[in-house]
Amino acid sequence: MRVRLGQVRLTGRQIEKGQTAFGALCGWILTGLGDRYQKHDELLAYVEETLVLTVRGLRRVAAGEQPLAEMVGQPDEGSADEDAPSAPEIIDGVLEAVNSREWVEPLLAEAAPVAEFATPVTGMFMLLRTGGLEYATTHVEPLRRLLDDLTGTPEVVADQAGHWDVMAGELRRLASDLEWCLAGAFPGPERPDVRAYLDIMANNVEALRGLAATSTAMTLITRSAGDLILLARDIVRGLIGDLFARASLWVIDSPEVVTRPVLVARLASLVTAAWRISAYVTALTTSIANLSRSIDG
């Protein structure tokens, strides 16, 4: 079990400790990611140390150097709150909150982004939108920087979620294996010292299950953050492409003299596009901030 715990910790060390993978715009909001991993690794190390000390104690008992009752000490009666929720129960609440997507701002929720681009467009407009987006990301520095800030490194985010998922699975198996071993460890009548020992080891089983539940929650949180960032980035890219397509059509179809109403309408289009981009970016950062509270909690 010590070797397997070491492998779990090795998997965790492959998680990028910073938040840069989520992009400059949102990465700084997810401040709890690195701290959560650090705390997770410390708890794994604590469980590992506890099991090592227990094995050493059992060897002393087996050698006749120490009675089991002395090794386990006196049980701490009444210190535990039986009504207090377990770690997996607490994490279940976090998972429910994340899955409910109540943390996602309405502008980015469900079908709202789809409606933004629901209007059919001509083939020419599609070509102009694609070409305009490519031009914008290449030659217009503020727009390119905005998209860079939104992009991050999606493949790294996916790797992080994958590592958390691997840890969750192995920790669940470790908890089940330890529980199975304990069930057959002491056949016959339960003496008080044996019962005290099994109670202590049951805490280790619960700790492993709690760490597995935490890893599961971090898998979901990491994936949810990455998916929402990608969604918002694609929406902003679409808005920029639309704007460039419209501007191209203005140039192509513009008469020699542009009337004031036409100028006002074009200005309104520019303002609307800028407002929509700002609204989606704000909705994204607010949503990620809401999600980040799940990590901090």
Side-chain angles (χ1 to χ4, degrees), residues 245-260:
R246 294 182 191 282
S248 299
L249 289 175
W250 295 340
V251 173
I252 295 171
D253 299 335
S254 180
E256 293 184 3
V257 178
V258 179
T259 62
R260 181 174 296 179

Side-chain angles (χ1 to χ4, degrees), residues 15-16 18 21-22 33 155-165 222:
I15 297 174
E16 185 178 295
F22 294 88
L33 285 175
E155 59 273 17
V156 175
V157 174
D159 282 345
Q160 289 187 17
H163 293 320
W164 280 112
D165 194 35
T222 303

Side-chain angles (χ1 to χ4, degrees), residues 90-251:
I90 294 172
I91 298 299
D92 283 344
V94 174
L95 291 173
E96 184 178 352
V98 176
N99 277 321
S100 70
R101 293 182 65 82
E102 292 181 1
W103 53 277
V104 179
E105 287 292 289
L107 194 61
L108 287 171
E110 302 301 334
V114 178
E116 184 73 59
F117 304 101
T119 304
V121 295
T122 64
M124 173 61 73
F125 192 87
M126 284 293 296
L127 289 173
L128 290 173
R129 182 159 63 185
T130 303
L133 178 60
E134 183 178 353
Y135 185 89
T137 55
T138 305
H139 295 89
V140 184
E141 177 62 24
L143 291 178
R144 186 188 63 77
R145 191 165 58 248
L146 171 64
L147 290 175
D148 285 347
D149 289 347
L150 277 170
T151 298
T153 315
E155 59 273 17
V156 175
V157 174
D159 282 345
Q160 289 187 17
H163 293 320
W164 280 112
D165 194 35
V166 169
M167 287 196 291
E170 180 59 10
L171 286 168
R172 280 193 296 269
R173 287 187 288 272
L174 276 165
S176 296
D177 290 348
L178 179 57
E179 187 175 43
W180 178 82
C181 289
L182 292 171
F186 292 94
E190 270 197 13
R191 305 191 322 243
D193 54 351
V194 171
R195 189 164 56 250
Y197 165 76
L198 292 176
D199 287 342
I200 290 173
M201 293 302 290
N203 291 333
N204 289 321
V205 173
E206 186 67 19
L208 289 168
R209 285 181 173 152
L211 288 166
T214 301
S215 298
T216 299
M218 289 303 299
T219 301
L220 178 60
I221 289 170
T222 303
R223 285 177 177 160
S224 298
D227 290 346
L228 193 69
I229 291 169
L230 285 176
L231 173 64
R233 183 202 64 175
D234 288 343
I235 292 171
V236 171
R237 283 169 58 88
L239 290 170
I240 293 172
D242 265 7
L243 181 58
F244 266 73
R246 294 182 191 282
S248 299
L249 289 175
W250 295 340
V251 173

